[in-house]
Each structure stands twice: as structure tokens, then as C-alpha cells.
Amino acid sequence: MKPSFLSDVKGKKLLSGRNLLNLVNLSSSKTIYLPLKKITKIAVISFAAIALIFGLAKAPSSSSLAQANQATDQERQALESQLQTLQVQMDQQQALVNSYKQKGSTLSSEIKRLEASIKQLNLQIKAVTLNLQKLDREISDTTVQISSTESDLDVQKNALEQTLQLVYENDNEGLMTVILKNPNLSDFFSETNNLLTIKDSVAAAVQKITDLHQKLVEQKTQLSLEKSDVQALKAYQESQKQNIKQTQQQKTTLLTETKGQESKYQQLLAQTKQTAAEIRSRIFKLLGGGEMSFGDAYKIAKMAEDATGVRAAFLLSILQGESALGKNVGQCNYQTAMHPTRDIPVFLKILAELNISPDSVKVSCANSDGVYGGAMGPAQFIPSTWNAYKDRVAKVTGHNPANPWNNADAFVASALYLKDLGADQQTTSAERKAAAKYYAGSRWSYHLWDYGQAAVNRAAGFEDDIKTITG
């Protein structure tokens, strides 16, 4: 039996049997023992810290990103330039249509008006096509942003999970266990400092994840709005194509029936012209639900015009139920339709002031992509917007507090809002822009030639009706 220890006579040291064998065995190689578990743990901690602080998503190089942005900006500028050129042409065409209309009801002027209208419709289709190209680019860019944000979010979540696991394991180890695992005092404090550093980073990481999540929600909402814009523009594009066919048919029918004779045209005009009584009694359907006679609607709109300078015909066009946004109007309960933090508290406060039960009224629904609804009454104001206008409305109507479901209050609120959007200038371009902003909000520039122009066209018809009933 070999002794477990031998004394080194020269150095007076105790040597283990294994070390002694190595000393006398000249062929023995020196073995290095590495604390793999400790090294792995430090590496994981370092990895987690780097991931938490800097993230691991690889961003494109600054030069490639700059080139991509420059190309996108150039495309947008080119499209904007084309749209501006078309807008000038469409305004000129609109002026031509109006001039033929003002020359009087003659066969010649009517034929020319129809021809000018066809040219204007073709220009509008071109403008819509350009806007669709812009939206395609935006949808592509937003989709890429969503993908990048989701990747960043996954990286941050994974890094946070690893860090929290390490912190949990460390917190569940007793003091004696930690000391025994780190026989050197410096190692003990080094590992402790590493974990404290990671713990300090956890709060920052949680905040970063929260910010990324909010950014993702906003990007997905943006994408939903862009898709809705595309759907609206495509539908309008198709309707304009049908309008061209109908206008061409009107021209053909007119020439066929009159055979180019002015006298026959005047006879036809007299037969088709509505009387003042017919116009007054015609049903006017409101945007937010409900209806009244056109005569009653005009009286309220005229009162609002006197107070704000916004044309009654244009206001009626905005509030007409068959206008741009009718599908999701006044059909839902506030709890399922409204934004829970932005709109519901304000909504409940408004109804408390009016002494109305919240469940007794309906608001506009959220769309199919989850964008919140909640617009109220004939003017379709969301609670925060109504809250901003209700005092101004009360000064005009005398109703204090103003009620978004009251027709007079709603008409005045709508007129005040349109005035703030520039509609009191009473020009075609100003009213077109105001209508687009009323219906589409911040995305109004895409809807000048669908929502905006459609409102202007309806207003022209209402203006003729108003002249008839007012003599």
C-alpha cells in the first residue's frame, strides 16, 4: 500500500500521491483544470447584459439605409409632383364645368358640361391611381418596420428571460452555498457585482420591451389605416369608371331625345325638373343615423351657415347619410367600440352631464382590423372632439350642455369643425380639403379625390335644390 502523502524533504511540503507521481514521472504532461461551469455562467451573464443593453438585431449599414431612404424619398417626390400637376388640371376642369353650368340651361352648354365632367372624372381616376401607388409603398415600408420591431421584441424578451433565470437561481442560493462556490473572496464579489449589474438592467429592459410593444401596436394600426385607405380608393376608382359610362350615356340619350334641337331640350328639362315642394319634402338621411325632410335639414344648416360662414349646401353634403362613411355608423355599444382609456372616460362624463344612460345610445363600430370607433350622433364626433367643441356649440344653439345626438347641436358642431378646417373660405379647393380632413383625419391627403371631391359634387346638387326652394 502506498502512503497517501509523502514529505518533500527539501521543501518540507506534503505531496499527494498523484502529484508525487507526476514529479517522478518525466513523461507526465501538466493538466490544467478549468472551472467550466463558472466560465459558462459568466459568459451567459455577459451575453444577457449585451443583449439587454444593445440588442442583437442586426441593422442595415448606414450607407444602404441612406440609399434606400433616398430612393423612397425620390419616388414620393415624383408622385407628389404628378399629383400637384393633376390637381391644377382638375381645378381647371372643375371651373370649366361650373362655367358651363352658369351659362344657363341650354342644350349646347349641357353637352359641353357633360364632356368636361368626363374629362374631370378621368383626371380623378389618374389621381386615385397615383395615391394607390403611394399607399403600396407605405404598406411595404410599414410591413418591413413591423417585422423589424417584432424581431427586436423577441431578442429583448429572450435576453430578459435568461437574465431573470440567472437572477432567480442566484437569489435561491444560500449565503454559505455562494461562499463555497467562490472560495476566493474576489471571485465572490465579482460574481455578485455581475448579477447586481444585470438586476439594474432588468428595469431598463422591461421599459424597452414596453416601448417596443407600443411601437408595434402603432405600426399595426398604421398598416390597418393604410389598407382601409386602399379599399376606399379602389372602391371610388370603380365608381368613377361607372360614372364615366353613365355620363357618356346621358350625353348620348340627350342627343337622341332632342335630336340637337334646343326647343325639345327645354321641353325635356321642364318635364324632369323637380318642384320646390318635392325637394322640401324629400327625405334627408343623416350620416349618424336618423332622418328628416330636406326642408327641415336646410333650415338647421342655414342657421349653422349664418353662425360659421360654412355653406349650408356643403354642410348638408358632409352630413348626408349616403356619404363616404356609412357602414359602421351608430350600430355598436360604447364598451365594444371605443378606446378604453382615451374615449370611454370622456364619453361617460359627457353622458353624465346630459343625464343619459350610456347603454341607451349607439356609437360607430370598430373596423374589421380593430381600429376603434366610438363616433357619436349625426356629426359623428368622437368623445374627445365633441368635448373640445361643446362649449362653442352651446353659445350658438343655447343648449347647455350641448348634446351630440341633438340635430341642431350636431349641425353646428360640424359647421364649426369645418370652419376650423378652412371650409368657410367657400372655394372648391378649400371645401374639398376640409371634407377629406373631416372624413379621413390625418390621412386626408389620400382622400382629396374620393371623399373630398364627392362631397363637393354633392354640395353642387344641394345648392341647386336650395335655389329652387328659396326662389
Side-chain angles (χ1 to χ4, degrees):
M1 296 293 290
K2 295 180 181 179
S4 297
F5 293 91
L6 294 176
S7 176
D8 182 353
V9 177
K10 183 178 178 181
K12 305 296 182 181
K13 295 179 181 179
L14 292 176
L15 300 176
S16 68
R18 183 180 63 185
N19 289 336
L20 180 63
L21 264 177
N22 290 339
L23 285 177
V24 298
N25 184 1
L26 297 180
S27 65
S28 174
S29 59
K30 185 175 181 180
T31 303
I32 300 174
Y33 294 92
L34 297 175
L36 292 178
K37 186 175 180 181
K38 182 176 179 180
I39 291 174
T40 301
K41 191 170 183 179
I42 292 173
V44 171
I45 291 174
S46 301
F47 171 82
I50 292 170
L52 281 170
I53 298 169
F54 300 106
L56 295 179
K58 292 183 179 179
S61 65
S62 57
S63 60
S64 63
L65 189 61
Q67 290 174 357
N69 289 338
Q70 185 177 5
T72 301
D73 289 341
Q74 289 174 350
E75 286 182 25
R76 287 173 180 162
Q77 289 172 6
L79 288 172
E80 287 294 342
S81 177
Q82 293 178 59
L83 280 168
Q84 288 174 6
T85 301
L86 280 174
Q87 182 165 338
V88 172
Q89 294 174 358
M90 282 184 284
D91 286 341
Q92 291 172 346
Q93 206 64 34
Q94 180 72 52
L96 190 60
V97 170
N98 293 339
S99 69
Y100 287 133
K101 197 172 181 179
Q102 292 170 359
K103 286 180 180 178
S105 298
T106 65
L107 178 59
S108 175
S109 63
E110 182 63 13
I111 294 297
K112 289 179 180 179
R113 185 188 70 80
L114 290 172
E115 290 172 345
S117 296
I118 291 171
K119 290 180 181 178
Q120 186 184 37
L121 289 168
N122 280 318
L123 289 171
Q124 289 173 18
I125 289 174
K126 288 182 180 180
V128 168
T129 301
L130 288 175
N131 273 325
L132 286 171
Q133 291 178 23
K134 285 175 62 181
L135 281 166
D136 284 342
R137 165 61 66 180
E138 280 196 15
I139 287 172
S140 177
D141 291 345
T142 306
T143 303
V144 170
Q145 292 171 8
I146 288 173
S147 177
S148 176
T149 304
E150 286 177 337
S151 296
D152 289 345
L153 197 56
D154 287 340
V155 167
Q156 294 299 323
K157 285 181 177 178
N158 290 335
L160 185 59
E161 286 173 5
Q162 294 178 31
T163 305
L164 291 174
Q165 180 63 32
L166 289 173
V167 172
Y168 174 78
E169 290 174 359
N170 184 71
D171 286 345
N172 281 274
E173 290 181 345
L175 178 61
M176 185 57 66
T177 304
V178 174
I179 293 174
L180 291 175
K181 284 172 59 180
N182 299 277
N184 295 325
L185 196 60
S186 60
D187 291 340
F188 167 73
F189 283 114
S190 175
E191 182 170 340
T192 302
N193 286 333
N194 284 335
L195 288 170
L196 288 174
T197 300
I198 297 299
K199 282 184 176 181
D200 290 339
S201 301
V202 167
V206 170
Q207 184 60 50
K208 190 170 183 179
I209 289 172
T210 302
D211 293 343
L212 281 170
H213 179 264
Q214 181 60 35
K215 182 180 178 182
L216 185 61
V217 169
E218 292 171 357
Q219 288 171 343
K220 288 185 175 180
T221 300
Q222 178 77 0
L223 183 61
S224 171
L225 292 171
E226 289 163 359
K227 288 180 177 179
S228 296
D229 288 341
V230 169
Q231 292 172 354
L233 287 172
K234 284 184 175 179
Y236 182 75
Q237 190 178 52
E238 289 302 314
S239 71
Q240 293 302 81
K241 291 178 182 178
Q242 292 299 317
N243 286 341
I244 289 174
K245 292 180 180 179
Q246 291 173 5
T247 307
Q248 288 174 332
Q249 184 61 43
Q250 287 175 20
K251 177 184 173 182
T252 302
T253 302
L254 186 59
L255 288 172
T256 301
E257 292 180 352
T258 63
K259 296 180 181 179
Q261 297 178 22
E262 183 66 31
S263 60
K264 290 187 176 181
Y265 172 68
Q266 292 300 327
Q267 291 176 6
L268 184 65
L269 195 63
Q271 292 172 4
T272 57
K273 190 172 183 179
Q274 285 185 309
T275 66
E278 288 173 332
I279 292 172
R280 285 195 188 94
S281 61
R282 190 174 65 212
I283 296 299
F284 181 81
K285 293 183 178 180
L286 295 165
L287 175 64
E291 57 186 37
M292 64 177 75
S293 71
F294 182 83
D296 289 340
Y298 168 66
K299 289 178 183 178
I300 302 175
K302 186 65 174 69
M303 178 267 292
E305 177 184 341
D306 293 339
T308 64
V310 175
R311 286 194 306 138
F314 181 65
L315 178 59
L316 289 171
S317 173
I318 292 293
L319 294 175
Q320 187 186 29
E322 284 79 11
S323 57
L325 306 176
K327 292 182 179 179
N328 296 325
V329 170
Q331 299 174 5
C332 290
N333 181 275
Y334 76 98
Q335 292 176 317
T336 59
M338 286 185 175
H339 191 289
T341 56
R342 182 194 64 198
D343 292 332
I344 287 182
V346 181
F347 172 77
L348 294 176
K349 183 179 178 182
I350 290 171
L351 267 68
E353 292 174 351
L354 294 168
N355 196 27
I356 296 175
S357 168
D359 292 318
S360 67
V361 294
K362 298 294 184 182
V363 297
S364 65
C365 306
N367 73 10
S368 58
D369 291 318
V371 176
Y372 289 105
M376 308 177 297
Q380 287 294 278
F381 276 32
I382 62 171
S384 57
T385 305
W386 181 263
N387 210 38
Y389 278 86
K390 64 180 184 180
D391 291 341
R392 292 170 62 185
V393 172
K395 289 180 181 179
V396 176
T397 64
H399 302 159
N400 196 4
N403 184 341
W405 286 274
N406 177 278
N407 288 333
D409 289 344
F411 275 49
V412 170
S414 182
L416 287 168
Y417 188 42
L418 290 167
K419 173 183 172 67
D420 291 345
L421 295 176
D424 59 329
Q425 298 174 36
Q426 296 192 10
T427 64
T428 298
S429 59
E431 289 181 345
R432 184 191 296 125
K433 183 184 290 187
K437 289 182 176 180
Y438 191 97
Y439 290 130
S442 62
R443 305 190 62 75
W444 64 270
S445 62
Y446 292 105
H447 296 288
L448 283 170
W449 305 107
D450 54 350
Y451 298 162
Q453 186 62 40
V456 168
N457 293 342
R458 289 194 303 273
F462 285 139
E463 193 66 58
D464 290 341
D465 292 338
I466 290 170
K467 287 178 181 178
T468 300
I469 65 176
T470 58

